[in-house]
Amino acid sequence: MSKLQINTRVRRLAYYLDDFEKGNFRIPFFQRRYKWEAKKRRDLFDSIIKGFPIGTILLWKPNDDINFNPEYEDRSIGSYTLEAPNDYANYILDGYQRLSTIVGCLLNPNKTKLIRDEEEWLNNFNLIYNFKSNEVEIGPKSLKNLDFYKVPLYQLADTKEFYNIQTKFVQNTNLMNEEEVQDYVAKFQEIAYQIQDYVLPSVDIIGGDFDTANQMFVRVNTQGEKVNEEEQLSAITSTESFRLGSQISDILDDLEKTNFLNKKKKESFRENIFRTIQSSFGALYLDSKATDVKSLSKKNNFSEVVNLTLENCLKTVAFFKNYLAVFDLKYIPANLHFIFLVQYFNIKRELKDDDIEKLQLWFWQSSYTNCFTKYNPAKRKKAFEHFLDFCNGKNNDPFYWDEEVKLKVDKFPDKIDFGGVRKQALALYLVNYAIKKENILSNEPLNSDKIRVVNEYKIFRNENSIGNTIFIPFQRNELNKQTSIQFILSQEFKGKFSELLITDKMRELYAEKRNREFLELREKLIEEKENEFITKVLKLELE
């Protein structure tokens, strides 16, 4: 291993911004993605304004004989895209979150030639300083009509903006007296100088190869803010053509495009995607010895299995939509349902007609029995092994029945929400009944292109009973145009909408304004239909 040369520098923030624009920074392929939340961004600038230390940046330049294709590197910092790096560029080993925040918030968009992702900037880096409350805060979506006492941070960092901002204060003399104007100007100068004069130290390392840099990255980051398992594994296994973290981000973007999840759910579901990858090497992720970072990083077929697994995440979502009417992530009762089904496609590659009803039955049985909660970790591993045996043709039933655990279906819930497996199962049953009625287990796929979303309606306001809840798959034009669901209770629709568990007797009660009796009758019908599905179709025992 070549000897490393270590230097230290202390520079003002403006020099870092200048280096960034000149292409003097590179992002190593093993660097973790930007993930700071708003509070951390605000706290960073609060520290800068108060003159508090914010740590040291660790930069690295490899040996001259080490070449790496920049096309495989992430070139985004703070919503701005780097130009092609020059020969003297340094890789950011530690401090990427801080530098991204500094660049994103302080680089003047009106003067830089770099391309900016407007949506990302508005969501993450649109910070302003409020001179009235004396604090950093998130800026509005539009800065055109910003209050005079609110100034974007990038203007505070730009010495050439001094005149414009001070003029802005002076022009508001009709709102303030002369003393107040001078007070604002003085505070502006103080804050602006504090940002412009703030110095940030860096440790510059020269020499070594990417393996050396990777080891330094993992070592340094495990000492600071904890690096999670995905980030560690991504750092260790990254190559020119493979980067675990980026590929997980790509699949999450693809799932968002299918409307299976939204932006808010992407980060929480990211962990489940990683757990799915861990479970794709023969053992459930709960087996820490077989699925830890060290073990997985040594797999010769690691990248191949990851690519297959991510591809099959999309097939699994298609199965959820087409055969289980799960159009939204929130309807999946347990994360293990997703993990198990991905393994089916990893092994089988394609969905087999003979397996469809078996998989449907497995899903509903495991949902209604809540077995993934009632089984301890050891039994969940056995359930996983049993499911893999089914996928490999070693048994005919994917559901694992443990003799030591009596699996019964919990009592009918008192309301519908997504706060528990039993309630989720009932909600999903009603969605399926609205589409397929009694034919819930079927080899025939739904047309998921037509049913893109399921809406939940309440018949009466301020009523949270089960009889008051209706789930509508968006596939009927006459329903899509309605703002209230009560229209289906009119005599005009007599004999219709039985798939929504609405009867003509209920219409009579509604017409007579006997709302309580209406709700009790509908809840009783829902319970009867669901019990019939549980006992006769799923062959399960009620509590």
Side-chain angles (χ1 to χ4, degrees), residues 215-455:
Q215 292 176 45
M216 288 190 289
F217 169 81
V218 173
R219 185 73 56 85
V220 168
N221 281 279
T222 52
Q223 299 301 315
E225 183 178 342
K226 186 172 178 59
V227 179
N228 63 35
E229 292 177 290
E230 178 208 315
E231 290 166 339
Q232 291 181 49
L233 193 56
S234 182
I236 295 170
T237 60
S238 290
T239 65
E240 286 195 8
S241 58
F242 177 84
R243 187 177 177 187
L244 176 63
S246 296
Q247 292 180 238
I248 291 178
S249 295
D250 289 343
I251 201 67
L252 287 169
D253 289 342
D254 290 341
L255 293 178
E256 184 185 2
K257 292 174 185 176
T258 69
N259 296 316
F260 188 68
L261 50 76
N262 57 34
K263 283 189 176 181
K264 292 182 179 179
K265 296 287 182 65
K266 282 169 72 172
E267 195 59 35
S268 60
F269 195 61
R270 186 183 193 96
E271 181 179 356
N272 200 44
I273 295 290
F274 181 69
R275 298 304 181 203
T276 303
I277 290 171
Q278 284 182 292
S279 305
S280 296
F281 293 86
L284 189 61
Y285 73 89
L286 295 171
D287 188 342
S288 56
K289 290 184 179 180
T291 63
D292 66 359
V293 171
K294 185 176 180 181
S295 299
L296 294 182
S297 66
K298 293 180 179 179
K299 301 286 186 182
N300 293 328
N301 62 340
F302 180 75
S303 60
E304 179 185 342
V305 171
V306 168
N307 289 332
L308 177 66
T309 299
L310 295 178
E311 176 186 332
N312 287 327
C313 285
L314 293 173
K315 292 181 181 179
T316 297
V317 169
F319 180 84
F320 272 120
K321 289 185 174 184
N322 293 331
Y323 295 99
L324 296 168
V326 175
F327 300 101
D328 189 303
L329 174 63
K330 70 179 181 180
Y331 286 92
I332 300 180
N335 286 333
L336 286 176
H337 282 123
F338 187 89
I339 293 173
F340 278 48
L341 281 172
V342 172
Q343 306 317 312
Y344 172 86
F345 288 102
N346 279 352
I347 294 171
K348 294 277 193 173
R349 296 298 196 270
E350 299 295 336
L351 181 63
K352 307 300 181 185
D353 290 342
D354 293 343
D355 293 337
I356 294 174
E357 288 192 22
K358 294 175 184 177
L359 291 172
Q360 289 175 320
L361 185 61
W362 162 82
F363 172 82
W364 286 106
Q365 287 177 334
S366 55
S367 297
Y368 271 107
T369 61
N370 196 11
C371 64
F372 293 134
T373 299
K374 294 176 180 177
Y375 284 165
N376 61 31
K379 295 187 187 300
R380 285 178 222 161
K381 292 178 191 177
K382 287 184 178 180
F384 184 72
E385 293 167 2
H386 182 88
F387 188 86
L388 294 185
D389 284 344
F390 163 76
C391 298
N392 285 305
K394 296 181 181 179
N395 66 55
N396 201 43
D397 181 5
F399 191 84
Y400 174 70
W401 299 94
D402 191 283
E403 297 177 356
E404 298 177 357
V405 181
K406 187 71 172 177
L407 292 175
K408 291 185 178 181
V409 179
D410 293 339
K411 294 179 181 179
F412 191 71
D414 58 350
K415 61 181 179 180
I416 295 179
D417 59 34
F418 297 91
V421 172
R422 179 65 181 88
K423 296 174 184 178
Q424 284 177 288
L426 173 57
L428 189 57
Y429 167 75
L430 292 176
V431 172
N432 275 264
Y433 194 90
I435 301 170
K436 300 186 282 187
K437 296 192 74 170
E438 281 84 4
N439 195 29
I440 290 178
L441 300 190
S442 170
N443 275 15
E444 290 297 318
L446 302 175
N447 189 340
S448 58
D449 289 334
K450 288 186 177 181
I451 308 174
R452 294 185 175 274
V453 69
V454 175
N455 274 5

